[in-house]
Amino acid sequence: VFINMRKQRANLFFLHITDYFLDNTGVKELNYSAALGYNKEHAGFDLFFSHFNTELGIFKGSHIGNTEDLEAHIANGRPFDNGSFYYGIDAPKQQVIHNLLKANGPLHLNDYLHFNVQYGFQPDNRKEYDVRRGGRSGIPSLNLTLYTHTLDAYLEYFNGRQWKATVGLNGLYQQNTYDAASATRQLIPDYNTNGYGAYFIGKLIKDAYQLEAGLRYDYKYLTALGYRDNQLYGGRHTFHNLSSSLGIVYPINVNWSLRSNIGTAWRPPTVNELYSNGLHHGSGTYEIGDSLATSERSIKWINSLAATPFPWMKLNLDLYANYFDGYIYLYPTGRIVEKLAGAFPEFDTRQTNARFLGADLSAEIQFARHFSYTLKGSMVRAKDISADKFLPMIPADKLVNGIKWEMPSMNTFRETYLQLEHVYVARQTRYEPGSDFAPPPDAYHLLNLNAGTQLHWRKHNLGINFSVDNLTNTLYKDYMNRFRYYAHDIGRNFILRLTYRI
C-alpha cells in the first residue's frame, strides 16, 4: 500500500519586461494531488486525484478599445507607458479549474500475459471576464464546463525472448455546456462527442535488429448546437480513419545505431476549429472557424542516428519529412474586428496540403574532468504546397550551447551542478511579406544560468534548483508568441524550486 500527496501554491506575480511592466499579468495558482495504491504480486490498483486552480490576468495592452489605437499599438511594438506593479487581478482575466480522477488496475495473468485497464474522469471549468459597463466586470462573459470520460484497456504478450504484441481499446466521451445565465458570448457551441479506437502493435526483437509494426482504427462522432446572432448553428460530424506504422532499430556496431520509422496519422478538426467565432481571450485575437473542415491526414518518415564515436562524445541526429493532406492552421487575415470588448486582429481556420522538413541535433562533449559542453539545434522548413507559399507561425532556427560543471557527489551534497547556457533564435525569413499584422521580429541571443544540488540526510532528500532566465535582461520578441504584437517577451526571470522527498 502506498500513499502520495503533493501540494503546490504559486503566489501573485507580474510579468516584467526589460524596462517596463505588463499591466494585469498577475497569476494566482493552487494545485494539489493525492495518490493511493495497493499492489500484490499479480495484481494492483492505483487511484489518483489532482486539482488545478488558477486565476490569470490578461495583459490590458492586448484588449484595446478601437481599431486606430490597436494599429498604433502594433506599429509602436510595445505599450505607450511603462506600466506598474500592483496587487490584484482585474478584468480582463480568466479562471480555470481542472479536476482529474484516475483509476488504474494492472493484472498479471501469467508469465506471458499482462492486462491493464484505466478509467479517467475530468471535469473542467473555464470563466473569462471582460471589462464591462455598469459594474458587470465581475460577471463572466464566457463560462464553459467540460466533462470528459476516458476508458483505456490493453492486453500485452511477451514470450521473454523475441516476440512482443499489444492489443488495445480506447473510449472517449465529452460533454461541453455553456452557461447562458451569466455569460454574454458563446465562443463555441454546446457539443457532445464520443470516440472509439482499437490498435495492434507487434514487435520482433533480434540481436542484429528490432522491427515494430502497428495498425490502428479510430472513429469519432461530434454533434454541436449553439445560438449566435439570433440564429441557431452547429451540426453533426463523423470522422474515422485507419493509420499504420513500421519501424526498425538497427545497431550498426557498439557505438552507432540507426532508427527509422514511417507511419500515417490523422487528426479530426476540433470544435474551435469548426465553430469558433469570437475572442480568443488569452492571445487577444479574434478567431473564426470553418464548419466544413475535414480531417487532417499525414504521413511521416523519421530517421535517427545515435553515436558514441569516442568515450567522451555523444551525438544524436534526427531527420524527418512530413506530408499533410488537409493541414489545419490559423491564418492572419489582416483585418481587425472591433467589438464591445475591444479591437482584435482576426485569424481564420484554413486547410491546405503542406510539407514539413526538419532536423534536430544534439551533442555532448566531456572536454575536461567535471566539465561538459552541450549543443542542441533545430530547424523546420514548412511550405503550403497547394499555393506554393510559406506557412505562418513556423518556428525559426534555434541553437543552444551550454557549459556544465558537475561536482563529485559527497555524503551530504549530491548531483551538484552549475550550467551557463546560450540560446540563439534566428529571425524567421521564410514567411510571406505583408501576410501578418507585424513582420517577424529580429534574431536574439539569451543567456541562462542554472544551478542545483541534492541535500541528503539519512533517508531524506531536499532538492534545490535555482535558475535565472535571460540573465542579461535582453529586450526581445519571439515569433511564436502572438503577444509580440503588443509587447516584448519576459525579461530577467528568477526561479527557485525546492523538492523534499520523505
Side-chain angles (χ1 to χ4, degrees), residues 463-483:
I464 304 174
N465 291 276
F466 176 72
S467 62
V468 185
D469 295 335
N470 193 3
L471 185 65
T472 56
N473 211 20
T474 298
L475 195 67
Y476 74 100
K477 292 185 178 183
D478 191 278
Y479 176 62
M480 300 301 292
N481 186 352
R482 272 193 265 172
F483 271 105

Side-chain angles (χ1 to χ4, degrees), residues 122-299:
Q122 182 169 327
D124 302 316
N125 178 254
R126 181 184 189 89
K127 295 184 178 72
E128 297 183 354
Y129 300 82
D130 291 324
V131 178
R132 301 168 67 182
R133 298 186 180 94
R136 295 180 298 153
S137 296
I139 302 175
S141 54
L142 182 71
N143 190 348
L144 298 174
T145 301
L146 177 66
Y147 298 98
T148 303
H149 301 265
T150 60
L151 183 64
D152 301 280
Y154 68 85
L155 180 67
E156 184 179 79
Y157 167 80
F158 181 48
N159 66 359
R161 297 183 301 276
Q162 60 184 21
W163 288 102
K164 188 174 183 180
T166 304
V167 60
L169 298 171
N170 307 120
L172 168 73
Y173 176 76
Q174 286 185 315
Q175 181 182 27
N176 180 83
T177 59
Y178 157 78
D179 185 2
S182 63
T184 59
R185 55 184 170 88
Q186 189 172 11
L187 177 64
I188 59 174
D190 292 343
Y191 70 89
N192 292 338
T193 181
N194 56 73
Y196 313 95
Y199 64 91
F200 170 80
I201 301 173
K203 191 171 186 179
L204 174 63
I205 303 171
K206 293 286 190 178
D207 292 335
Y209 62 89
Q210 295 181 24
L211 283 175
E212 183 177 275
L215 190 66
R216 181 182 178 99
Y217 174 77
D218 288 282
Y219 170 88
K220 184 176 181 180
Y221 175 76
L222 169 70
T223 177
L225 184 64
Y227 191 74
R228 180 189 296 141
D229 298 330
N230 299 321
Q231 290 184 346
L232 289 173
Y233 73 103
R236 298 180 180 181
H237 304 264
T238 300
F239 308 99
H240 61 94
N241 193 73
L242 185 67
S243 52
S244 59
S245 65
L246 178 64
I248 183 172
V249 178
Y250 179 66
I252 301 171
N253 55 40
V254 177
N255 299 322
W256 296 78
S257 66
L258 176 67
R259 295 173 180 264
S260 184
N261 182 277
I262 187 168
T264 60
W266 81 299
R267 183 180 72 86
T270 60
V271 174
N272 60 296
E273 290 170 334
L274 290 167
Y275 292 112
S276 280
N277 194 331
L279 171 62
H280 185 162
H281 217 243
S283 62
T285 54
Y286 195 93
E287 296 181 2
I288 300 175
D290 178 8
S291 61
L292 300 179
T294 58
S295 294
E296 180 183 277
R297 292 178 170 85
S298 67
I299 180 169

Side-chain angles (χ1 to χ4, degrees), residues 27-87:
V27 177
K28 288 195 296 185
E29 191 171 298
L30 175 63
N31 311 320
Y32 56 84
S33 63
L36 174 67
Y38 176 73
N39 292 320
K40 293 188 69 175
E41 184 177 358
H42 298 291
F45 178 76
D46 304 333
L47 191 64
F48 174 82
F49 175 79
S50 66
H51 174 82
F52 174 82
N53 188 332
T54 184
E55 186 176 359
L56 304 166
I58 304 299
F59 174 46
K60 289 184 177 181
S62 65
H63 289 231
I64 299 171
N66 57 58
T67 300
E68 291 75 17
D69 289 345
L70 176 61
E71 290 174 342
H73 204 121
I74 294 176
N76 193 52
R78 56 160 290 167
F80 286 102
D81 60 68
N82 292 331
S84 61
F85 176 85
Y86 55 89
Y87 290 97

Side-chain angles (χ1 to χ4, degrees), residues 327-463:
Y327 175 69
I328 304 173
Y329 67 104
L330 280 174
Y331 179 81
T333 66
R335 296 186 294 267
I336 293 177
V337 178
E338 193 168 324
K339 296 289 185 179
L340 291 176
F344 305 97
E346 182 188 75
F347 287 73
D348 63 15
T349 301
R350 297 190 179 183
Q351 277 194 283
T352 190
N353 295 331
R355 180 195 65 227
F356 283 69
L357 303 174
D360 296 300
L361 170 69
S362 64
E364 182 179 345
I365 299 174
Q366 195 82 28
F367 65 89
R369 190 179 183 183
H370 309 311
F371 285 88
S372 61
Y373 167 77
T374 57
L375 171 68
K376 296 179 182 179
S378 62
M379 57 180 292
V380 181
R381 299 292 181 266
K383 200 73 177 288
D384 177 348
I385 57 179
S386 296
D388 192 25
K389 294 182 178 180
F390 293 113
L391 290 166
M393 298 302 291
I394 301 299
D397 296 345
K398 184 176 182 179
L399 194 65
V400 180
N401 296 269
I403 296 178
K404 186 177 183 179
W405 170 76
E406 296 178 274
M407 187 179 78
S409 294
M410 303 167 59
N411 290 333
T412 303
F413 296 93
R414 302 180 182 181
E415 300 177 23
T416 303
Y417 72 94
L418 178 66
Q419 183 182 41
L420 182 64
E421 183 180 74
H422 168 256
V423 179
Y424 169 72
V425 179
R427 184 176 187 268
Q428 179 57 278
T429 58
R430 292 165 295 279
Y431 84 106
E432 297 299 322
S435 64
D436 203 345
F437 295 94
D442 294 334
Y444 61 87
H445 298 262
L446 299 178
L447 282 179
N448 302 324
L449 181 67
N450 302 284
T453 189
Q454 294 281 339
L455 297 180
H456 182 74
W457 182 70
R458 294 183 181 179
K459 296 182 179 180
H460 308 289
N461 279 325
L462 174 63

